[in-house]
Amino acid sequence: MKLPIYFDNAATTRVDPRVFEKMAPFFTETFGNAASRNHVFGWTAEKAADDAREQLGAALGASGKEIVFTSGATESNNLAIKGAAEMYRDKGDHIITCVTEHKAVLDPCKHLEQLGYRVTFLPVDRTGSIDLDELKRSITDKTILISLMAANNEVGTIHPIERIGAIAHERGLLFHTDATQAFGKMPINVDAMNIDLLSASGHKVYGPKGIGLLYVRRKNPRVRLAAQMDGGGHERGMRSGTLNVPGIVGFAEAARICVAEMPVEAPRIQQLRDRLHQGIASQLTHVTLNGHPEHRLPGIVNLSFEFVEGEALMMGMKDIAVSSGSACTSASLEPSYVLRALGVGDELAHSSIRFSLGRFNTQEEVDYVTAQAVAAVKRLRELSPLYEMAQEGVDVSKVQWKA
Amino acid sequence: MSYGDKVLDHYNNPRNVGSLDKDKPNVGTGVVGAPECGDVMKLQIEVDQQTGRIVDAKFKTFGCGSAIASSSLATEWIKGKTLDEAMEIRNTDIVRELSLPPVKIHCSVLAEDAIRAAIKDVKEKRERAGEAVTEDAGTRRRGDAEKEDGETTSRV
């Protein structure tokens, strides 16, 4: 086993060596511009990009023609939300999303609010799930778009995409889903799920950074978007800019591997994740799971360790890379807005750690991380005045803190 | 963010972790911060009635590595000082000693507050003992954690 251990696969992933191998010639040999129509360099680059497009389309149950390449999921989300809002301004000015979306969805929505659009930010329950009846009730005759993520990046909760898509189509609305975390980790079919727009990213699926896609439905309905990047008219005019051919080739190969190996990989990673969770929970008291107990991505387990602060805990788990919802890991001093939205409470949000497992993690690593986490929590609880008070029978939540 | 050597040292080998008997008349307890803010420090001092010096100090902290280091350092510094000398410790001294980045300055502020709260507590105990010699301060205050925390908690 090699240190340090990487349990932060929801942040980014290591490029699969098979993907890297596929990409390599496109830097130094087949380096043409896919838009060069008059010579073999351009033709081979275009062919590679089109093959990749078909492969990525197939991974979604879509046609390659429906794939628009972008720099990553942030750009895809911006293009989907702003592009649809601008294009369908005549039809309405109302967008529905939810409070636990990634900033790359929330911020474009807030930007549109400033331009006069109206946005409904649906709340979530303790598991991170929205209420579908509330979604239905919030639809008005001015609603044009529903944007709800397939799976959450912090807690891993999976939204019932298929049912949301059905609701959207019943009412004649467009449905966009940010599938950055879900793509390649769970089966997705844009037709079965009534998805009109879908964002995905290369680097979350063992592909390279700097490449993403936006699926844009071409029929039933045909979705049109106002370009957010003007220029040479690439990608059917929706996203100008020279294609990142090595990135595209790598993304497609990464997606191909994910889809092909998913039946074996997903249960394996889930088993590791559950082993980690159970190992920790069986040795420590006051550990709570954030997110949905079942409807959750196979790799993510977000735990709150009561009486212990998240950043201190990460310091204690030497040579292990994880994330925390603690304020102290960011410049803002505000704890995770996602955990807050789940009603976790600021104290437990400060005490949270997200472990995200992936393809290259092993059981040996899980056991090592379990032991390190348990030891660090025990040590920090000995240092914690809150733990001491709890041991003395004081209900810490009832204390009047003057802060 | 990477941590300075001194923060790491205090985090890995915190000095003076523990608790003193908060009911003793010569022990002052300061609890500052709030769990919702991600930091709670409890700092206690034991004062020699004869010499007026702090003979022992203990802390427990819920917070990040810099908060743990700040309170650990605070206990180290105040031992052996008189109450007036301890009052002179400034958060900026802690920032300098631990090379805290700007985002962690609040940890040092909290440590300064904890020192002051503990000193205030022990001084108040002394005054109360002077006012009512017959009353046993320990018995009166026991089991009233909420009130005591309210009394000794200062601003963050």
Side-chain angles (χ1 to χ4, degrees):
Chain A
M1 191 182 69
K2 238 173 71 182
L3 295 175
I5 292 172
Y6 191 72
F7 272 23
D8 203 14
N9 288 276
T12 191
T13 55
R14 172 186 166 193
V15 172
D16 191 304
R18 292 170 288 182
V19 170
F20 187 61
E21 196 182 325
K22 265 263 157 77
M23 291 172 67
F26 289 90
F27 288 102
T28 51
E29 309 290 326
T30 319
F31 60 86
N33 186 329
S36 296
R37 290 287 161 75
N38 305 309
H39 51 68
V40 68
F41 295 87
W43 302 330
T44 41
E46 191 186 19
K47 168 93 169 58
D50 283 345
D51 290 349
R53 213 183 280 281
E54 284 306 321
Q55 212 157 43
L56 285 159
L60 294 166
S63 147
K65 294 191 181 71
E66 298 174 302
I67 303 298
V68 172
F69 288 116
T70 66
S71 62
T74 291
E75 188 191 336
S76 301
N77 288 334
N78 272 268
L79 175 56
I81 294 165
K82 293 177 185 166
E86 192 180 330
M87 181 58 77
Y88 297 98
R89 187 71 177 87
D90 293 346
K91 288 185 76 179
D93 61 359
H94 181 227
I95 294 162
I96 300 171
T97 183
C98 88
V99 288
T100 52
E101 293 290 318
H102 193 273
K103 291 284 184 190
V105 165
L106 294 178
D107 287 357
C109 286
K110 285 174 186 162
H111 178 81
L112 289 172
E113 271 186 325
Q114 289 177 342
L115 297 178
Y117 289 83
R118 289 176 308 118
V119 182
T120 298
F121 297 93
L122 294 172
V124 295
D125 64 16
R126 191 61 204 240
T127 68
S129 309
I130 58 158
D131 177 351
L132 292 180
D133 288 328
E134 196 170 1
L135 168 64
K136 284 183 203 164
R137 280 197 302 274
S138 58
I139 296 171
T140 73
D141 55 358
K142 291 289 183 191
T143 308
I144 47 180
L145 175 73
I146 295 174
S147 179
L148 290 168
M149 67 202 327
N152 182 268
N153 50 304
E154 286 195 33
V155 294
T157 297
I158 296 169
H159 278 156
I161 290 307
E162 197 168 344
R163 294 169 68 191
I164 295 167
I167 291 168
H169 279 196
E170 218 166 82
R171 303 289 299 262
L173 309 176
L174 293 181
F175 174 39
H176 166 248
T177 189
D178 175 3
T180 308
Q181 294 292 338
F183 179 66
K185 316 286 166 65
M186 55 182 252
I188 294 177
N189 184 295
V190 290
D191 285 338
M193 295 174 164
N194 291 301
I195 296 166
D196 300 311
L197 295 156
L198 176 144
S199 307
S201 176
H203 74 101
K204 306 285 190 190
V205 292
Y206 316 97
K209 294 167 185 58
I211 186 70
L213 67 78
L214 180 65
Y215 159 79
V216 185
R217 179 173 287 281
R218 262 165 67 98
K219 54 182 184 220
N220 306 318
R222 179 183 176 86
V223 179
R224 296 188 306 142
L225 297 175
Q228 303 298 307
M229 184 77 79
D230 299 316
H234 308 76
E235 301 298 274
R236 294 189 284 136
M238 281 190 268
R239 200 277 190 177
S240 289
T242 298
L243 291 186
N244 169 7
V245 177
I248 289 167
V249 168
F251 189 9
E253 176 65 1
R256 185 195 66 75
I257 295 169
C258 280
V259 171
E261 299 187 352
M262 196 186 297
V264 178
E265 183 165 68
R268 185 187 77 85
I269 291 173
Q270 182 163 336
Q271 185 263 326
L272 290 179
R273 176 199 77 182
D274 292 343
R275 184 184 176 90
L276 176 72
H277 183 190
Q278 278 147 22
I280 288 172
S282 66
Q283 295 176 68
L284 292 171
T285 61
H286 298 92
V287 177
T288 49
L289 173 72
N290 300 313
H292 201 287
E294 287 111 42
H295 300 139
R296 188 153 46 97
L297 285 178
I300 295 184
V301 56
N302 186 314
L303 300 175
S304 282
F305 298 90
E306 213 176 326
F307 317 122
V308 170
E309 197 276 332
E311 185 189 333
L313 182 50
M314 290 202 292
M315 262 175 100
M317 295 190 286
K318 281 188 202 69
D319 300 315
I320 297 168
V322 294
S323 283
S324 171
S326 158
C328 291
T329 59
S330 68
S332 71
L333 297 184
E334 291 286 319
S336 153
Y337 69 91
V338 171
L339 294 178
R340 278 183 152 180
L342 264 66
V344 165
D346 284 1
E347 182 205 338
L348 282 179
H350 281 293
S351 302
S352 74
I353 298 281
R354 178 190 69 185
F355 303 87
S356 50
L357 284 71
R359 179 173 296 162
F360 302 105
N361 292 126
T362 64
Q363 184 166 311
E364 194 186 8
E365 288 178 333
V366 165
D367 293 345
Y368 181 85
V369 172
T370 304
Q372 288 276 311
V374 168
V377 169
K378 282 187 174 163
R379 188 176 90 83
L380 289 168
R381 281 186 178 165
E382 287 309 309
L383 249 67
S384 170
L386 304 180
Y387 186 65
E388 185 181 61
M389 289 168 81
Q391 298 293 97
E392 287 168 356
V394 177
D395 184 347
V396 176
S397 66
K398 299 253 161 62
V399 175
Q400 295 288 314
W401 304 96
K402 273 194 200 165
Chain B
M1 180 186 332
S2 59
Y3 302 95
D5 289 343
K6 283 183 178 159
V7 170
L8 280 173
D9 180 36
H10 278 281
Y11 174 84
N12 289 320
N13 311 293
R15 332 293 198 250
N16 308 308
V17 176
S19 297
L20 300 171
D21 181 359
K22 63 172 186 280
D23 298 329
K24 278 172 76 173
N26 64 331
V27 167
T29 302
V31 180
V32 296
E36 305 88 81
C37 304
D39 299 288
V40 176
M41 281 182 195
K42 186 188 79 167
L43 191 144
Q44 293 182 301
I45 51 172
E46 183 169 351
V47 182
D48 185 315
Q49 307 279 45
Q50 250 57 55
T51 65
R53 289 191 181 274
I54 297 169
V55 289
D56 200 4
K58 297 277 184 207
F59 85 96
K60 284 201 175 190
T61 290
F62 163 82
C64 65
S66 302
I68 290 171
S70 296
S71 36
S72 169
L73 178 66
T75 56
E76 219 176 20
W77 276 357
I78 57 177
K79 270 206 211 177
K81 285 194 165 62
T82 64
L83 296 184
D84 287 343
E85 286 166 357
M87 283 295 276
E88 280 167 24
I89 293 171
R90 289 287 172 274
N91 82 291
T92 46
D93 303 329
I94 296 169
V95 170
R96 210 172 303 121
E97 173 67 14
L98 295 175
S99 313
L100 295 180
V103 68
K104 296 297 184 187
I105 286 174
H106 73 278
C107 299
S108 69
V109 173
L110 212 56
E112 183 189 309
D113 287 348
I115 297 172
R116 285 158 180 259
I119 291 171
K120 183 167 171 254
D121 184 46
V122 79
K123 280 185 176 169
E124 281 174 0
K125 276 187 180 177
R126 206 185 278 164
E127 281 162 21
R128 273 197 302 269
E131 282 163 15
V133 245
T134 48
E135 195 172 15
D136 178 353
T139 319
R140 193 167 59 84
R141 294 166 55 82
R142 196 187 303 274
D144 198 357
E146 205 162 308
K147 188 151 167 278
E148 176 178 297
D149 290 320
E151 281 170 2
T152 56
T153 303
S154 67
R155 70 178 171 85
V156 180

